[in-house]
Amino acid sequence: AQTVTQSQPEMSVQEAETVTLSCTYDTSESDYYLFWYKQPPSRQMILVIRQEAYKQQNATENRFSVNFQKAAKSFSLKISDSQLGDAAMYFCAYRSQGGTYKYIFGTGTRLKVLA
Amino acid sequence: AAGVIQSPRHLIKEKRETATLKCYPIPRHDTVYWYQQGPGQDPQFLISFYEKMQSDKGSIPDRFSAQQFSDYHSELNMSSLELGDSALYFCASSSFSGGYNEQFFGPGTRLTVL
């Protein structure tokens, strides 16, 4: 069975600075997807970025980028130029390429942005 | 763009009562997923449906049942409610017609069991 681990329960970053959130996973599959979701106080789950395992190039979405290390089974999220609106819970999630596509979430990292 | 609709948004029940949560997927989405997120926890997969058939089952208690109807909306029925059932219940939908199959999450139903 696949597992997702987020070892940082809470992180803080100064506004305008850069922060990296860590995620590791365990799987025996070769094809899969990885995601970062943001959950603000409203509790809505918002997709931040996704990465296909077969792609070597790291995904980037504006200020958000990932460092995907497939061999190490590591998938970290870098937030550049942090803004107050980035403050939220961030969940790393794994999804198989086949099967029923259910998501397996990590336990989350709470990000605080300091003004 | 249309999003996933969940109703009700908030629900308060007593122990041993029954609750029904509804999910209306994005138009033309054929797959629905249910997740349960307890206080301070990560979302846990409960059950999913594809084309009105159950496609996968996770950590869903036997007291819960769910189905997907002909119009693709889904209902999660919860009986003999317990205090531990208090949680945020997410529904997500996706289209299984090949490709990426991104799941789009609804706003959730917050269930409180007293």
Side-chain angles (χ1 to χ4, degrees):
Chain A
Q2 298 83 21
T3 59
V4 178
T5 302
Q6 293 179 250
S7 59
Q8 305 155 315
E10 190 170 294
M11 294 279 287
S12 295
V13 62
Q14 206 69 34
E15 196 175 5
E17 295 193 342
T18 296
V19 64
T20 298
L21 308 184
S22 301
C23 173
T24 58
Y25 58 95
D26 190 27
T27 183
S28 58
E29 300 174 332
S30 58
D31 289 330
Y32 47 87
Y33 289 92
L34 295 165
F35 308 85
W36 279 98
Y37 276 86
K38 171 185 178 180
Q39 189 176 45
S42 68
R43 307 293 298 277
Q44 175 75 51
M45 294 291 281
I46 302 167
L47 177 65
V48 175
I49 199 165
R50 70 171 184 266
Q51 175 78 44
E52 292 91 332
Y54 66 87
K55 290 187 177 179
Q56 292 187 337
Q57 187 173 4
N58 289 323
T60 298
E61 287 287 342
N62 301 313
R63 299 182 294 107
F64 300 87
S65 61
V66 299
N67 183 5
F68 173 49
Q69 301 290 328
K70 190 172 183 180
K73 296 179 182 175
S74 171
F75 182 61
S76 60
L77 174 69
K78 186 172 82 170
I79 306 175
S80 304
D81 186 25
S82 296
Q83 301 175 0
L84 294 177
D86 295 334
M89 279 291 286
Y90 286 82
F91 290 99
C92 178
Y94 173 101
R95 198 205 84 187
S96 296
Q97 169 66 2
T100 57
Y101 305 117
K102 66 184 178 189
Y103 284 10
I104 299 169
F105 288 91
T107 51
T109 296
R110 182 173 301 282
L111 178 66
K112 295 184 177 181
V113 181
L114 309 174
Chain B
V4 177
I5 297 172
Q6 291 188 246
S7 69
R9 294 291 308 276
H10 301 273
L11 190 58
I12 299 175
K13 291 286 185 179
E14 299 278 344
K15 278 174 55 178
R16 292 180 288 277
E17 286 191 326
T18 297
T20 297
L21 278 54
K22 297 184 179 182
C23 170
Y24 298 87
I26 292 172
R28 292 180 295 282
H29 277 194
D30 48 26
T31 307
V32 168
Y33 307 80
W34 287 96
Y35 294 87
Q36 177 192 55
Q37 186 179 25
Q41 298 180 2
D42 53 293
Q44 294 288 320
F45 171 73
L46 292 179
I47 195 167
S48 62
F49 293 88
Y50 166 64
E51 284 291 346
K52 292 152 281 183
M53 298 288 290
Q54 181 181 307
S55 54
D56 198 2
K57 196 172 182 179
S59 51
I60 183 169
D62 292 340
R63 300 177 289 107
F64 294 6
S65 65
Q67 56 181 325
Q68 186 179 30
F69 294 85
S70 58
D71 64 351
Y72 294 99
H73 94 273
S74 178
E75 294 184 3
L76 178 65
N77 297 293
M78 311 159 70
S79 62
S80 303
L81 287 169
E82 302 174 355
L83 296 178
D85 296 329
S86 295
L88 186 62
Y89 290 83
F90 284 109
C91 171
S93 75
S94 70
S95 173
F96 203 79
S97 54
Y100 164 51
N101 299 109
E102 177 181 347
Q103 289 185 30
F104 294 82
F105 283 83
T109 293
R110 185 182 300 276
L111 172 66
T112 302
V113 182
L114 303 176

